[in-house]
Coordinates of all heavy atoms in Angstrom, one line a residue:
T463 N 174.7 53.0 169.2 CA 173.3 53.1 169.6 C 173.2 53.8 171.0 O 172.5 54.8 171.2 CB 172.6 51.7 169.7 OG1 172.8 51.1 168.4 CG2 171.1 51.8 170.0
L464 N 174.0 53.3 171.9 CA 174.1 53.9 173.2 C 174.8 55.2 173.2 O 174.5 56.2 173.9 CB 174.7 52.9 174.3 CG 173.7 51.8 174.5 CD1 174.4 50.5 175.0 CD2 172.6 52.2 175.6
G465 N 175.8 55.2 172.3 CA 176.6 56.5 172.2 C 175.8 57.6 171.7 O 175.9 58.7 172.3
H466 N 175.0 57.4 170.7 CA 174.1 58.5 170.3 C 173.1 58.9 171.4 O 172.8 60.1 171.5 CB 173.3 58.0 169.0 CG 174.1 57.9 167.8 ND1 173.8 57.1 166.8 CD2 175.2 58.6 167.4 CE1 174.7 57.2 165.8 NE2 175.6 58.1 166.2
A467 N 172.6 57.9 172.1 CA 171.7 58.2 173.2 C 172.4 59.1 174.3 O 171.8 60.0 174.8 CB 171.2 56.9 173.9
L468 N 173.6 58.7 174.6 CA 174.3 59.6 175.6 C 174.6 61.0 175.0 O 174.4 62.0 175.8 CB 175.7 58.9 175.9 CG 175.6 57.7 176.8 CD1 176.9 56.9 176.7 CD2 175.4 58.1 178.2
E469 N 174.9 61.1 173.7 CA 175.1 62.4 173.1 C 173.8 63.2 173.2 O 173.8 64.4 173.6 CB 175.5 62.3 171.7 CG 176.9 61.9 171.4 CD 177.2 62.0 169.9 OE1 177.6 63.0 169.4 OE2 177.0 61.0 169.2
G470 N 172.7 62.5 172.9 CA 171.4 63.2 172.9 C 171.0 63.6 174.3 O 170.5 64.7 174.6
W471 N 171.2 62.7 175.3 CA 170.9 63.0 176.7 C 171.7 64.3 177.2 O 171.1 65.1 177.9 CB 171.3 61.8 177.6 CG 170.8 62.0 179.0 CD1 169.6 61.5 179.5 CD2 171.5 62.6 180.1 NE1 169.5 61.8 180.9 CE2 170.6 62.5 181.3 CE3 172.7 63.3 180.2 CZ2 171.0 63.0 182.5 CZ3 173.0 63.8 181.5 CH2 172.2 63.6 182.6
H472 N 172.9 64.4 176.7 CA 173.7 65.6 177.1 C 173.4 66.8 176.2 O 174.2 67.8 176.2 CB 175.2 65.3 176.9 CG 175.7 64.4 178.1 ND1 175.8 63.0 178.0 CD2 176.2 64.7 179.3 CE1 176.3 62.5 179.2 NE2 176.5 63.5 180.0
E473 N 172.4 66.7 175.3 CA 172.0 67.7 174.3 C 173.2 68.2 173.5 O 173.4 69.3 173.2 CB 171.4 68.9 175.1 CG 170.1 68.5 175.8 CD 169.5 69.6 176.6 OE1 170.3 70.6 176.9 OE2 168.3 69.6 176.9
Y474 N 174.1 67.2 173.2 CA 175.3 67.4 172.3 C 176.2 68.5 172.9 O 176.9 69.2 172.1 CB 174.9 67.8 170.9 CG 174.0 66.6 170.3 CD1 172.7 66.7 170.3 CD2 174.7 65.5 169.7 CE1 171.9 65.6 169.8 CE2 174.0 64.5 169.2 CZ 172.6 64.5 169.2 OH 171.9 63.5 168.7
R475 N 176.2 68.7 174.2 CA 177.0 69.8 174.8 C 178.0 69.1 175.8 O 177.5 68.3 176.6 CB 176.2 70.8 175.5 CG 175.6 71.9 174.5 CD 175.2 73.1 175.3 NE 173.9 72.9 175.9 CZ 172.7 73.1 175.4 NH1 172.6 73.7 174.2 NH2 171.6 72.9 176.1
N476 N 179.2 69.5 175.7 CA 180.3 69.0 176.7 C 180.3 67.4 176.7 O 180.7 66.9 177.7 CB 180.0 69.5 178.1 CG 180.0 71.0 178.1 OD1 180.7 71.7 177.4 ND2 179.0 71.5 178.9

Side-chain angles (χ1 to χ4, degrees):
T463 305
L464 289 156
H466 288 151
L468 284 162
E469 283 185 89
W471 189 93
H472 285 92
E473 295 175 342
Y474 300 95
R475 279 196 284 267
N476 304 320

